[in-house]
Amino acid sequence: MPTRVKICGITTWGDARLSVDLGASALGFNFYPPSPRAISPADAWNIIRRLPPFVEAVGVFVNWPPLVVDALARALRLGSVQLHGSESPKEIAQLGRRHRVIKAVQVGRGFRVASLSRYRSADGLLLDGFARGLHGGTGRTLDWKLARAARRYGRIILAGGLTPENIAEAIRVAEPYAVDIASGVEARPGRKDPARLRALFAAVESVEL
């Protein structure tokens, strides 16, 4: 079975439709205003309401109060909430009572895999490359062998600098639950490149684990 693919930073219906047609399991909608891939809840809903069955909408949040995340997630019928800030294990557990929670963790120099144990209540752990001052969408890769070792702490979603050129090797090395791609298939921030999207899914489908 091909690895699950989430295409993040969706801002248009055209990008959403093509991603789904190519085989995306999930689409990410970024509610962090400073991001060049940010989208308003109203614009996100206009895309989410048109998604077909079995495709999950994931909301990306940075340090939002849990009650506000909960309210928007229910209003938009999000399948999961993805937390990219300094959310505590307590906040993750609180949101986990109503929603599937993905905790994003930046992996930089000195990162210890064992530190992921504090997020055991999360439904998935998204590992991203480290870039100071950025919350996701860094375009920087991480040690894929480390990601493979992290699987003992939960379902690993591999992110960080993934492209059509390196995605097959990343999957072979890390064997993640899923992969998350944003900048690697863009024509510019917030807009996908159809040719790169097609190349990415072709590369994913070529991997035999």
Side-chain angles (χ1 to χ4, degrees):
M1 176 180 174
T3 302
R4 300 165 185 83
V5 177
K6 171 173 167 278
I7 300 297
C8 204
I10 293 291
T11 62
T12 70
W13 168 243
D15 286 347
R17 180 174 58 188
L18 179 57
S19 298
V20 170
D21 288 347
L22 290 171
S25 301
L27 303 179
F29 298 88
N30 192 324
F31 300 119
Y32 180 57
S35 171
R37 303 173 186 89
I39 189 170
S40 71
D43 287 342
W45 174 244
N46 284 332
I47 298 172
I48 293 168
R49 66 185 178 84
R50 300 171 72 180
L51 294 179
F54 311 123
V55 176
E56 183 165 297
V58 181
V60 176
F61 302 90
V62 178
N63 294 326
W64 282 39
L67 289 177
V68 183
V69 174
D70 171 51
L72 186 61
R74 286 187 285 125
L76 296 182
R77 301 176 189 170
L78 298 178
S80 298
V81 297
Q82 184 171 309
L83 309 178
H84 275 261
S86 55
E87 298 88 2
S88 68
K90 181 178 179 181
E91 290 174 314
I92 292 169
Q94 180 180 344
L95 279 167
R97 289 195 285 269
R98 286 182 176 268
H99 307 281
R100 286 191 293 271
V101 178
I102 300 165
K103 180 66 181 93
V105 180
Q106 285 198 340
V107 178
R109 185 176 298 175
F111 176 80
R112 294 183 307 106
V113 173
S115 67
L116 296 173
S117 63
R118 66 197 300 258
Y119 303 125
R120 283 192 183 276
S121 67
D123 298 283
L125 297 168
L126 184 144
L127 302 187
D128 200 0
F130 176 81
R132 192 176 302 279
L134 295 180
H135 298 277
T138 67
R140 298 189 182 182
T141 58
L142 55 98
D143 183 341
W144 298 329
K145 291 181 181 178
L146 183 152
R148 182 169 181 161
R151 294 184 306 167
R152 75 189 71 162
Y153 295 104
R155 297 182 183 91
I156 298 301
I157 302 164
L158 184 65
L162 299 177
T163 67
E165 294 76 24
N166 67 16
I167 189 70
E169 181 65 14
I171 292 171
R172 290 189 191 100
V173 174
E175 296 187 7
Y177 173 77
V179 291
D180 186 303
I181 300 94
S183 62
V185 290
E186 287 181 329
R188 63 182 188 276
R191 292 298 175 92
K192 305 309 180 193
D193 181 320
R196 290 190 66 75
L197 272 174
R198 292 188 178 94
L200 178 100
F201 280 94
V204 170
E205 290 171 5
S206 74
V207 179
E208 294 183 6
L209 296 176

